[in-house]
Amino acid sequence: MKNRVVTVYTAQGKLEAEMVRVLLEAEQIPAMVVQESVGLTFGLTVGPMGEADVKVLEVDYQKALEVIRKMEAGQLVLPDDLDLPGEGEEEVDSDPHGDLA
């Protein structure tokens, strides 16, 4: 059954889990974050109540695991065509409404 949802990563807190979810979705892997409601309510980030699971479809599990392994090993590479701040940026008017003059 390939439509089953499985845990691919357990994070210490929702913020870490959301970062992994965004990374997976950037790689075209649908993902979601699940955390115990008590942990969410109190903003816990440690222990079992603070853990948040990143879940993917079983069919995407191996691909997601490979992306996470690369992330943990520091092997992720930015695409060549990505515009980073400071590269070819136009000058922006810091006072668009003219209020500072």
Side-chain angles (χ1 to χ4, degrees):
M1 189 156 89
K2 296 289 183 182
N3 288 332
R4 193 169 64 121
V5 176
V6 295
T7 299
V8 70
Y9 187 81
T10 299
Q12 292 301 313
K14 187 165 171 96
L15 179 61
E16 179 186 358
E18 287 294 342
M19 290 189 300
V20 172
R21 180 191 63 79
V22 168
L23 172 65
L24 292 174
E25 289 187 352
E27 295 289 331
Q28 309 305 313
I29 302 169
M32 66 179 176
V33 173
V34 177
Q35 184 178 13
E36 285 290 329
S37 59
V38 172
L40 266 175
T41 302
F42 292 107
L44 300 175
T45 58
V46 295
M49 296 290 188
E51 291 177 349
D53 291 330
V54 180
K55 297 187 175 274
V56 297
L57 291 175
E58 187 175 25
V59 70
D60 294 326
Y61 179 81
Q62 289 301 323
K63 184 178 176 186
L65 202 54
E66 182 61 29
V67 171
I68 291 169
R69 284 185 185 140
K70 286 181 180 179
M71 173 196 73
E72 290 175 333
Q75 296 174 339
L76 294 178
V77 179
L78 292 174
D80 291 334
D81 62 348
L82 184 66
D83 263 345
L84 295 176
E87 292 183 6
E89 284 187 350
E90 294 179 24
E91 189 172 322
V92 178
D93 185 3
S94 61
D95 186 22
H97 302 292
D99 296 338
L100 299 176

